[in-house]
Amino acid sequence: MKEVKINTDYITLDQFLKYVGVAETGGKGKQMILDGLVKVNGNIELKRGKKLRSGDIVVVNDHEFKVL
């Protein structure tokens, strides 16, 4: 699991996917979310504006990230 530090209270899911390099663009990140390829804390997340906060776990394409 890769730990990812953010410098704000939260980051939206689509921004996070681009930030960690899983999605090359925001549009690709949005499509990955809508296709059901992204899990947050063990649940498939379909809202690209989902706010991720410290402690959240994101899994996409066999990559696992923990938000710090």
Side-chain angles (χ1 to χ4, degrees):
M1 178 183 311
K2 183 176 179 185
E3 295 182 339
V4 180
K5 177 146 179 62
I6 59 171
N7 297 317
T8 57
D9 290 338
Y10 67 87
I11 186 170
T12 59
L13 182 55
D14 58 345
Q15 290 174 336
F16 182 82
L17 295 178
K18 188 174 174 186
Y19 180 69
V20 298
V22 173
E24 297 160 9
T25 65
K28 284 197 173 199
K30 177 182 175 182
Q31 194 58 52
M32 293 170 79
I33 295 165
L34 293 175
D35 288 345
L37 302 176
V38 182
K39 288 185 178 182
V40 177
N41 299 325
N43 299 309
I44 293 174
E45 183 57 63
L46 299 175
K47 296 184 294 274
R48 67 185 181 99
K50 166 77 175 165
K51 293 178 181 176
L52 302 175
R53 300 179 192 278
S54 181
D56 284 339
I57 306 291
V58 178
V59 179
V60 59
N61 293 342
D62 298 324
H63 299 285
E64 191 170 346
F65 303 94
K66 182 175 184 176
V67 181
L68 299 180

